[in-house]
Amino acid sequence: MAQPCRHRAMPHARLSSCWGSRVLLLLLIYVCYLLLGATIFQLLEKPAEAESRDQFQMEKLRFLENYTCLDRWALEQFVQVILEAWVKGVNPKGNSTNPSNWDFGSSFFFSSTVITTIGYGNLAPSTEAGQVFCVFFAMVGIPLNVVFLNHLGTGLRAHLATLERWEEQPRCSQLLQVLGLGLTLTLGTLAFLIAPPMAFSYVEGWRLNEGFYFAFITLSTIGFGDYVVGRDPSKRYIAVYRSLAALWILLGLAWLALLLSLGPLLLRRCLRLWLLLRGYGLKDGPAPDPERLPRPQKSPISA
């Protein structure tokens, strides 16, 4: 009676062992990738950090030499005040006429960074009531954002991915569908992922690579906060500038999810269509399924 139970338990144990081996392998790859990134970032950024630190100390010494009425302690206190203001989102450049960080457009932009989990880190609620509200706002807004992006991506895919029943159509129609879908994805990528970074670079005075860096860090929801739109007090932005940036974030995230979903599908369809056209010629009629095509028969070794 115990023998069948032992046979039934063996596949389960083998499956558990295989799963454990895969987890350990992925964990090893994961840790090695983190170690590689840490090593490269240290090699690239640590010398620049040391240079910036030395330059800052030299500037403080030069400032004390020019203004002998100040001592080091007073200067350190002033630097501390500047740092506290920066942490609270106040730009130390300019004067009190700088645009508010909590006008409606900026607040709308901040709300979008909360529910999309970008969190640049350059601005945060400083009042106790604001912090409490931010917690509850994020608890409801983050799931709502996930549901919205999923439904938006599903709807776009339903309108664009007309290749699901393409085997039933003539090859000319299949070719036109593939070209149409590729053109749509290309135009959407230009509209959501290429043109906005170029526009941000022009408005903010960034280099082009800085604009694309900001767009990638934003849409990947990393959000370092080193580049944020609408923060330069020397520039005059339109009232809805940051609100438009928030809408771009939402639409860009949806388009990026759609692109990652339909991109592999488009590549598979292109490869499949190319193989069919190469093997059968461009003729009308339904395209045969490559998996159902006759396979070449193996000849015996004696032949």
Side-chain angles (χ1 to χ4, degrees):
M1 294 294 293
Q3 194 70 16
C5 295
R6 188 181 308 151
H7 286 300
R8 285 196 300 267
M10 288 179 61
H12 183 269
R14 190 176 305 165
L15 181 62
S16 300
S17 177
C18 182
W19 177 83
S21 301
R22 290 181 180 179
V23 170
L24 290 177
L25 179 61
L26 289 175
L27 178 61
L28 179 62
I29 295 175
Y30 188 82
V31 173
C32 290
Y33 192 73
L34 289 177
L35 293 176
L36 175 65
T39 303
I40 294 178
F41 280 126
Q42 182 182 17
L43 293 175
L44 293 177
E45 298 297 331
K46 190 174 182 179
E49 180 198 25
E51 182 180 355
S52 298
R53 185 184 293 112
D54 295 339
Q55 183 180 0
F56 178 67
Q57 295 299 327
M58 290 296 298
E59 290 294 333
K60 286 201 302 183
L61 293 176
R62 190 177 295 113
F63 184 83
L64 291 174
E65 291 176 357
N66 294 332
Y67 300 91
T68 56
C69 58
L70 293 177
D71 56 6
R72 181 180 293 273
W73 182 84
L75 180 60
E76 294 294 339
Q77 289 294 111
F78 183 66
V79 171
Q80 182 65 30
V81 171
I82 294 178
L83 289 177
E84 292 178 357
W86 180 262
V87 169
K88 294 180 180 179
V90 178
N91 196 323
K93 296 174 61 178
N95 50 38
S96 59
T97 61
N98 290 342
S100 172
N101 289 320
W102 293 106
D103 56 12
F104 183 79
S106 300
S107 300
F108 184 78
F109 180 77
F110 173 77
S111 300
S112 68
T113 62
V114 171
I115 65 175
T116 55
T117 67
I118 295 176
Y120 287 116
N122 65 306
L123 185 64
S126 58
T127 63
E128 183 178 353
Q131 293 171 353
V132 173
F133 174 75
C134 184
V135 171
F136 288 98
F137 180 76
M139 290 176 61
V140 177
I142 292 175
L144 178 62
N145 177 68
V146 173
V147 172
F148 166 73
L149 292 179
N150 285 338
H151 279 270
L152 184 60
T154 303
L156 292 174
R157 178 170 179 171
H159 287 287
L160 294 177
T162 57
L163 302 181
E164 295 296 333
R165 297 184 301 272
W166 80 320
E167 291 87 353
E168 305 172 1
Q169 303 174 3
R171 292 198 193 96
C172 291
S173 300
Q174 296 175 16
L175 180 59
L176 291 177
Q177 286 181 354
V178 170
L179 293 178
L181 181 59
L183 180 62
T184 302
L185 292 180
T186 301
L187 293 178
T189 301
L190 289 174
F192 292 107
L193 306 181
I194 304 298
M198 299 176 67
F200 290 141
S201 300
Y202 175 77
V203 174
E204 300 291 340
W206 298 335
R207 295 191 300 271
L208 195 59
N209 65 302
E210 293 175 326
F212 281 100
Y213 168 79
F214 161 75
F216 176 80
I217 294 299
T218 297
L219 295 182
S220 60
T221 67
I222 298 175
F224 287 128
D226 49 351
Y227 288 88
V228 183
V229 296
R231 294 278 296 171
D232 192 346
S234 63
K235 298 183 179 298
R236 290 184 174 273
Y237 302 101
I238 60 176
V240 295
Y241 177 63
R242 303 194 81 182
S243 299
L244 292 176
L247 292 177
W248 165 74
I249 290 175
L250 297 176
L251 296 177
L253 288 174
W255 186 261
L256 188 62
L258 176 68
L259 186 64
L260 294 177
S261 176
L262 285 184
L265 173 64
L266 179 62
L267 293 177
R268 289 197 302 268
R269 297 302 193 191
C270 289
L271 178 60
R272 192 173 181 181
L273 183 60
W274 178 76
L275 292 175
L276 292 176
L277 295 178
R278 186 179 180 184
Y280 288 88
L282 189 59
K283 299 179 182 179
D284 289 337
D289 190 348
E291 298 179 357
R292 299 180 180 178
L293 294 177
R295 300 179 181 273
Q297 299 293 331
K298 295 182 180 180
S299 58
I301 299 178
S302 58

